Amino acid sequence: MTETTEMRQPPTAFGEYNVPSRDHISLYGDDQLLNVWWRGNVFQVAPSCFRVPRAMKFSDFLTQVMAPWASKDPDYDASRVGNWKKDDEPIDPKDDDTFESLGIEHKGLISFELV
């Protein structure tokens, strides 16, 4: 038996993919999925996903969704939350802003850190 060290090219075509998406925006009515990442947190190293209304005010999101989730970590301090980003772009959300008005799409990513 001989050992082969040459690299093999992985397959590049697997055929047509006709599986309907199970998380398509049309299945969520007035809601959307929102990924939230707490940058710099050693315990939450990946974004968490939440189902939220697209028209939800940012202040409601902070109190009804984010605070219950993030307050499980003893380092969480709502008064220190800042440096918001949409993907890699800095944003400055106001209390009355909605996810629609901020341009945050279905399955979009927002992130924050403690300042």
Side-chain angles (χ1 to χ4, degrees):
M1 184 157 108
T2 62
E3 190 172 316
T4 303
T5 58
E6 76 179 61
M7 296 288 288
R8 290 190 177 178
Q9 179 71 25
T12 56
F14 293 98
E16 197 171 328
Y17 185 80
N18 288 323
V19 179
S21 172
R22 297 186 66 184
D23 60 358
H24 191 270
I25 185 76
S26 64
L27 302 173
Y28 289 85
D30 294 331
D31 294 348
Q32 71 180 53
L33 295 180
L34 176 67
N35 294 294
V36 181
W37 178 30
W38 180 346
R39 295 188 320 274
N41 186 304
V42 297
F43 297 110
Q44 300 197 25
V45 296
S48 295
C49 188
F50 301 97
R51 182 177 179 159
V52 296
R54 287 188 291 248
M56 178 180 249
K57 290 184 179 179
F58 202 77
S59 60
D60 292 337
F61 164 73
L62 293 175
T63 58
Q64 298 172 19
V65 178
M66 198 172 110
W69 162 72
S71 64
K72 304 284 191 256
D73 187 313
D75 291 335
Y76 179 72
D77 179 353
S79 68
R80 294 181 52 216
V81 171
N83 292 341
W84 285 97
K85 291 186 178 185
K86 178 182 95 170
D87 299 319
D88 289 325
E89 172 189 326
I91 59 172
D92 186 22
K94 307 294 185 238
D95 285 346
D96 287 338
D97 286 342
T98 64
F99 299 116
E100 283 180 310
S101 69
L102 291 168
I104 300 168
E105 299 179 358
H106 178 61
K107 297 192 281 184
L109 173 68
I110 62 172
S111 64
F112 68 96
E113 58 189 4
L114 299 183
V115 292

